[in-house]
Amino acid sequence: MSLIRRLALSAGLAALSTLGTGCATGETAAPAPIGYVTPAASVVIDAARAHPALWPKAASPAAMSDAATEAFVSQLMSRMTLEEKVGQTIQADISAIKPEDLLIYPLGSILAGGNSSPGGDERASPQAWVDLARAFRAANARRGGTVVPLIYGIDAVHGHNNVVGATIFPHNIGLGAARDPDLIRRIGEATALEVAVTGADWTFGPTLAVPRDDRWGRSYEGYGENPEIARSYAGPMTLGLQGRLSASEPLTPGHIAGSAKHFLADGGTQGGADQGDFKGSERELIDIHLSGYPEAIDGGVLSIMASFSSWNGVKHSGNQTILTDVLRGPLGFDGFVVSDWNAHGQLAGCSNESCALAINAGIDMLMAPDSWKPLYVNTLAQARSGEIPAARLDEAVRRILRAKVKAGLFRAERPVEGKFDELGSPAHRALAREAVRKSLVMLKNEGSVLPIRAGARVLVAGSADDIGQASGGWTLTWQGTGNTRADFPNGQSIWEGLNAAVRAGGGQATLSPDGRFTARPDVAIVVFGETPYAEFQGDVATLDFKPEEPLAILKRLKAAGIPTVSVFLSGRPLWTNPEINQSDAFVAAWLPGSEGGGIADVLVGDANGKARRDFQGTLSFSWPKDAAGRPLNVGQPGYDPQFAYGYGLRYAAPRKVGTLPEDSGVAAAASSVADYFVDGRFVPPWSLMLRDAGGEFRLGLETVGRSPRGAVAVQAVDGAGQESARLLTFGPGEGHAVIAASPVDLTRQTNGEMAISFRYRLDARPQGAVRLTLGAGSVDLTGLLKDASLGQWRTLKVRLSCLRDAGADVAAVDQPFGLKATGPVTLAFESVRLASNEGDTVCPGG
């Protein structure tokens, strides 16, 4: 039986039996265009114009577009209405679309973004994820007309990191240190199976970024600063996720479609700014940032995601010379291109709701998470008018349908869906544990403190029992924050792994987060590092590791004469010379994920102190000699790292490190874009100002003060910690307390729907109006405060977009937080910072 016939019978496709004429059954007539913006012509300046003759050759396998598949797609398209074709080019997020919407709008795709989940519950059960997928598929099948299966995408970037109980593998920065392509293939296979179990069809990976500035908040998503690693991994990861493409069959059950991302140079932006601009030559673009895309294309990757970023000022999502001339020319890509989250709205002349330019430039599917409905309406109007030529629309739809055929979406059966025993299965956990131990890089081992004798008395300090911190961003939530041990029922924390290994060898392990002890240990292991973040939150001004408590613990242990091992958790190399100097051994563990036992496999030896396994990892990113954060990449002029690309000690090959210099090379008051008042301190350069009709008073190091006429006063009080909060007492008269400094640009954070977050405690109810301010924008908190319970701490998160819409200039924010009252009110605040929208933000009335 032919492939076309098998697909038709398997799916029961109306496409092969129903002619579409006009609107599909049950579909209402499309309304007039909404918020229409006429796109500017696709203008590419010479500095961002690609020359296809310079680029290397690649080609999607012939099996992607074999004759049987193309004939099936042609028959299907001949029966599709214009509305149905346009629908294939639009992708909506599950937080902004309901299954019943598909009865009217014939969309081609849905996604579950970083903070999207069934019913808004980030800890939803695996069954809830399956139920969600089935509800959308069922609604799509009921729409009538020419029914085309949805393709459902999700960011499974280090395992199926969206679902409680799934295996969380090390982030790519750790996998890059492992230098093991076969390991990558096997991780791809395990990830695909766990994703398929919960009903999704497509992951937005592999990430092939080559981060060249470690201040970028997504550095950990890259395998390394040198493209050689991504080139060696792109093909194996693609084959792991998808399997090998066949001309006669779709992907085998348990495999899913991949999406190589973010095309192109997302890791090369100036200053490490997310969504920023790569300022460089076409030669650099090819030699460095083309990365592993040819290998992924040769491996049959079914889709590629275009980058938010720009090349010499021109956004990739609108650069036809990159998306069409190069990608469809010498690179020979036959799959489809999807844009990133509302990225089309950043193009000149476009908005989130309207962008013919992106499609005409070469975007086949527009990721329009919350703007999908007006975007569909406007794209349909542009297709009808010819602004989007019929041939271009058909080209995009063919590519999407081709990928859907190959992904097996026209197959009715889903034999692995719902097999929850595959989530966090013993085999997948063992694979993740292998990945952890292969990713560890030993930077220092003085006095051979490692490996630790299994029978020793071991003190374990710091955040060793926090799987959330060990997993980093893109773990259950976008930023990876708010996770607890209960969210990883199949995992093992670093502490649990160490405890098991030490006890198995007849020793004793004690967990003491602050590093204090009663019985003197033989050795101490201190686990510390960065707390979770993703883009926006993760962009930093310097590479200085700022938390002070880990260094204090290390100094205390050193003073007591306790041999000490540091296990450093981070999404990038950071300047940690003081911490390295206070440690006898220092291990870069990156973001290892849910299988902390892999660390014990290498750190804890046998009963005689002999290594059970040696270190294998080597640095895939150069380790900095100072904290300035200037790009530091192997091969560049003046290359002078603390530890070079490729460095990594072995038990079998020790080397003395000695004392490192402790001059960070940066001023202590480096700017913070995302943190304003943390742990009882205003983060430099931010400070508190008190204003009233008599003028203003700026506090320095003082913890007590009042405005010139006494309309607002402040004092330090206890919150989550000793004097970690500030108590504001307003009245009589109008007073305003603001955190202020030189302006920062929060445009990207606003576009990312981030929020100003703070904890507050109401001590006396307002007798006038109370407003939250950000620059010139403000929202009314009076009603919220009048209903709040007295004396209880609460967290409030107000979306930046609300304050922008209320008048704030988010491109130049010099006062990111303020409270203004027209009458008496008393309240305390603490922990003022930017935070991601995890379905818990509000937009109070004006």
Side-chain angles (χ1 to χ4, degrees), residues 11 14 22 52 151 153 162 230 259 399 407 434 587 605 611 617 621 669 691 693 720 773 791:
I151 186 166
N162 310 277
S259 187
R399 292 167 178 167
E434 176 189 350
V587 176
F621 288 80
R691 295 172 175 164
T773 66

Side-chain angles (χ1 to χ4, degrees), residues 476-496:
L476 300 184
T477 64
W478 173 34
Q479 297 287 330
T481 54
N483 295 322
T484 68
R485 179 64 185 84
D487 295 322
F488 305 94
N490 297 328
Q492 184 181 47
S493 71
I494 296 172
W495 151 248
E496 290 164 347

Side-chain angles (χ1 to χ4, degrees), residues 354-374:
S354 177
C355 193
L357 186 155
I359 291 179
N360 288 338
I363 298 291
D364 300 309
M365 180 182 289
L366 295 165
M367 185 185 289
D370 53 355
S371 56
W372 63 269
K373 192 176 293 185

Side-chain angles (χ1 to χ4, degrees), residues 576-769:
T576 50
N577 283 11
E579 290 78 8
I580 293 173
N581 285 339
Q582 295 299 318
S583 307
D584 296 284
F586 194 96
V587 176
W590 314 112
L591 299 171
S594 61
E595 295 309 313
I599 291 175
D601 290 344
V602 183
L603 267 60
V604 180
D606 62 18
N608 297 316
K610 299 293 185 182
R612 295 183 295 158
R613 290 185 173 88
D614 205 342
F615 285 86
Q616 297 181 48
T618 59
L619 291 178
S620 60
F621 288 80
S622 303
W623 202 275
K625 186 172 283 187
D626 61 38
R630 293 177 295 269
L632 178 66
N633 300 296
V634 63
Q636 73 182 38
Y639 179 66
D640 185 25
Q642 187 69 68
F643 301 107
Y645 175 88
Y647 175 94
L649 300 181
R650 303 283 189 268
Y651 291 140
R655 186 190 310 174
K656 187 171 179 62
V657 171
T659 302
L660 304 178
E662 296 194 8
D663 180 4
S664 70
V666 298
S671 177
S672 171
V673 173
D675 295 324
Y676 310 117
F677 180 65
V678 180
D679 296 330
R681 291 176 298 177
F682 292 94
V683 180
W686 305 104
S687 61
L688 186 67
M689 289 199 305
L690 305 178
R691 295 172 175 164
D692 62 17
E696 65 183 32
F697 172 71
R698 183 186 293 268
L699 279 78
L701 298 177
E702 304 97 332
T703 57
V704 177
R706 65 176 54 246
S707 59
R709 293 187 181 177
V712 55
V714 66
Q715 67 183 80
V717 294
D718 291 349
Q722 184 177 6
E723 294 196 351
S724 64
R726 294 293 181 268
L727 181 71
L728 297 175
T729 302
F730 289 90
E734 181 174 290
H736 193 187
V738 296
I739 296 175
S742 298
V744 295
D745 186 353
L746 299 183
T747 303
R748 294 180 298 113
Q749 291 83 347
T750 304
N751 292 339
E753 280 301 304
M754 297 194 72
I756 185 74
S757 171
F758 62 100
R759 295 184 73 231
Y760 73 94
R761 185 190 70 205
L762 185 67
D763 289 355
R765 298 193 186 283
Q767 298 179 34

Side-chain angles (χ1 to χ4, degrees), residues 760-782:
Y760 73 94
R761 185 190 70 205
L762 185 67
D763 289 355
R765 298 193 186 283
Q767 298 179 34
V770 181
R771 302 187 72 83
L772 171 70
T773 66
L774 185 146
S778 69
V779 293
D780 191 358
L781 300 184
T782 312

